[in-house]
C-alpha cells in the first residue's frame, strides 16, 4: 500500500504571495490532518479534514486554509505569505475521524521557504 | 488544550546503552500517546504507541510506559544502535479527537 504523498516537496516563495500544497492520503484513509513544523515552535496542528469537511482547527490565522476532495486528497493554502511561514508542512492520514486505534501516518512534507 | 512537555531536548548515549525520554501531559482526557522517530530530512515515523487502558507496551528494543495518575509517559530504548540516532517526538491525543499535540522533541545521538 502506498504511503502518504505530498507535492511539491520544496517550494520557494516571496512575501505576499500565496501557495497551495497537496496531500494524497493512504488509500482508504479518509482523514487528513495538516501540521506545521518549525525549529522554534515544533510540530503544531493546523486543521483536519474528513469527508470533505473541516472537523478541527488549530490556532493559526485565517490566512491558512484547506479543503478536501471527494477522493480524500487534500490541499492547504496559505495566502499573503510571511517570513514566519517558512516551515516544513506535513500532512498525516488516518482511517477515520477518531477512535482508539486510529494511527496517523505522515507524508514526507513540503518544505516552504518564504523570502 | 493539551500541553505536552518533553525532556531531555538532547541525549547522547554510548552504543549498547539504554536511552530514556520522558513526557508529561496536562489534559486528563487524553487517551492515546504515540511516539514518532524523525530522521534528518525524513517524515516522522510512528514507532510505538500506548493507550490509556495500558500501563506498558514493548516492541523488541523499544518500550513505552504510561502513568495516568501522574500524567507522564516515557520511551525506553535498550541496546541502542547508531541507527537509533534521530529526533524523537512524543504526542498526546484527546478522547474523541484525532489531532496530536506534540512534545518539543529529543535529539538522540548514539555514539559508536
Amino acid at each position: 500500500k502506498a504511503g502518504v504523498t505530498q507535492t511539491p516537496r520544496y517550494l520557494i516563495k516571496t512575501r505576499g504571495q500565496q501557495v497551495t500544497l497537496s496531500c494524497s492520503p493512504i488509500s482508504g484513509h479518509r482523514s487528513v490532518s495538516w501540521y506545521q513544523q518549525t525549529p522554534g515552535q515544533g510540530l503544531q496542528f493546523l486543521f483536519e479534514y474528513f469527508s470533505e469537511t473541516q472537523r478541527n482547527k488549530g490556532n493559526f490565522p485565517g490566512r491558512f486554509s484547506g479543503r478536501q476532495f471527494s477522493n480524500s486528497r487534500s490541499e492547504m493554502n496559505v495566502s499573503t505569505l510571511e517570513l514566519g511561514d517558512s516551515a516544513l508542512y506535513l500532512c498525516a492520514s488516518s482511517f477515520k475521524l477518531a477512535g482508539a486505534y486510529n494511527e496517523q501516518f505522515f507524508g514526507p512534507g513540503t518544505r516552504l521557504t518564504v523570502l | 488544550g493539551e500541553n505536552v512537555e518533553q525532556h531531555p531536548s538532547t541525549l547522547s548515549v554510548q552504543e549498547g546503552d539504554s536511552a530514556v525520554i520522558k513526557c508529561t501531559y496536562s489534559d486528563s482526557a487524553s487517551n492515546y500517546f504515540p511516539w514518532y522517530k524523525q530522521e534528518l530530512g525524513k517524515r516522522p515515523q510512528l514507532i510505538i504507541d500506548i493507550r490509556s487502558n495500558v500501563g506498558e507496551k514493548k516492541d523488541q528494543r523499544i518500550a513505552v510506559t504510561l502513568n495516568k495518575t501522574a500524567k507522564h509517559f516515557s520511551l525506553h530504548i535498550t541496546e541502542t544502535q547508531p541507527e537509533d540516532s534521530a529526533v524523537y517526538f512524543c504526542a498526546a491525543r484527546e478522547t474523541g479527537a484525532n489531532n496530536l499535540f506534540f512534545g518539543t522533541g529529543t535529539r538522540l545521538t548514539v555514539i559508536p
Side-chain angles (χ1 to χ4, degrees), chain B residues 16-29:
Chain B
D17 287 351
S18 295
V20 180
I21 303 170
K22 299 182 179 182
C23 290
T24 61
Y25 62 99
S26 61
D27 191 345
S28 57

Side-chain angles (χ1 to χ4, degrees), chain A residues 18-31:
Chain A
Q18 73 162 16
V19 66
T20 300
L21 314 180
S22 179
C23 171
S24 292
I26 293 170
S27 177
H29 283 194
R30 297 169 62 194
S31 168

Side-chain angles (χ1 to χ4, degrees), chain A residues 9-53:
Chain A
R9 294 294 311 280
Y10 302 92
L11 208 48
I12 299 175
K13 292 286 187 180
T14 57
R15 278 182 299 173
Q17 288 187 309
Q18 73 162 16
V19 66
T20 300
L21 314 180
S22 179
C23 171
S24 292
I26 293 170
S27 177
H29 283 194
R30 297 169 62 194
S31 168
V32 174
S33 297
W34 289 89
Y35 293 84
Q36 181 195 65
Q37 185 175 27
T38 60
Q41 299 298 318
L43 274 154
Q44 292 187 292
F45 171 71
L46 280 154
F47 32 64
E48 177 184 16
Y49 285 85
F50 183 85
S51 294
E52 302 178 63
T53 302

Side-chain angles (χ1 to χ4, degrees), chain A residues 52-66:
Chain A
E52 302 178 63
T53 302
Q54 187 181 94
R55 303 293 181 149
N56 200 356
K57 190 177 191 305
N59 190 26
F60 279 81
R63 300 185 296 107
F64 292 81
S65 62

Side-chain angles (χ1 to χ4, degrees), chain B residues 21-84:
Chain B
I21 303 170
K22 299 182 179 182
C23 290
T24 61
Y25 62 99
S26 61
D27 191 345
S28 57
S30 291
N31 68 345
Y32 174 67
F33 308 91
W35 286 87
Y36 287 86
K37 174 185 180 182
Q38 188 174 29
E39 297 176 71
L40 190 62
K42 297 193 175 180
R43 73 187 75 193
Q45 297 265 21
L46 178 68
I47 57 171
I48 196 168
D49 55 17
I50 192 167
R51 290 158 183 90
S52 59
N53 59 345
V54 175
E56 183 174 0
K57 182 178 178 181
K58 190 173 181 181
D59 183 4
Q60 299 182 338
R61 297 186 297 109
I62 296 173
V64 58
T65 58
L66 171 65
N67 183 325
K68 284 174 55 181
T69 303
K71 294 183 195 166
H72 67 70
F73 56 113
S74 301
L75 177 71
H76 304 253
I77 306 174
T78 59
E79 300 171 24
T80 53
Q81 301 167 3
E83 52 264 38
D84 294 331

